[in-house]
Amino acid sequence: MPNKKVRIDYDTCTACELCYDRVPEVFKDRGDGIADVVKYDIEESDEEKWMFVPEDLEEEVEEVADECPSGSIIVEDV
């Protein structure tokens, strides 16, 4: 069972490529440089599309979220 979920705030993402370069299993370029998660496990709205973080990548996803220059990676406990 996943412990964390992650999404991108598209409005603040600066397309720095950090997340999808470091964790391509979780993040991708949506086509315009802006990051997105590779799949949607939870769709609360058009703005809030979450992916469950694989347990073996939780630490790396947390690190990338902390390093994101725009703070656009949102990680929450499930």
Side-chain angles (χ1 to χ4, degrees), residues 33-60:
I34 301 298
D36 202 354
V37 293
V38 296
K39 67 177 182 170
Y40 304 134
D41 295 313
I42 307 165
E43 292 190 51
E44 295 179 357
S45 71
D46 287 341
E47 302 282 314
E48 290 195 30
K49 296 177 181 178
W50 298 88
M51 177 180 168
F52 291 123
V53 179
E55 288 183 46
D56 61 325
L57 295 173
E58 286 179 1
E59 189 174 316
E60 194 164 2

Side-chain angles (χ1 to χ4, degrees), residues 4-58:
K4 301 205 177 279
K5 62 184 183 177
V6 63
R7 73 176 179 87
I8 302 295
D9 182 336
Y10 308 123
D11 293 332
T12 60
C13 178
T14 60
C16 75
E17 303 178 8
L18 171 72
C19 60
Y20 49 84
D21 279 351
R22 290 256 313 269
V23 195
E25 302 88 347
V26 176
F27 304 104
K28 67 177 182 178
D29 176 344
R30 68 177 193 182
D32 58 359
I34 301 298
D36 202 354
V37 293
V38 296
K39 67 177 182 170
Y40 304 134
D41 295 313
I42 307 165
E43 292 190 51
E44 295 179 357
S45 71
D46 287 341
E47 302 282 314
E48 290 195 30
K49 296 177 181 178
W50 298 88
M51 177 180 168
F52 291 123
V53 179
E55 288 183 46
D56 61 325
L57 295 173
E58 286 179 1

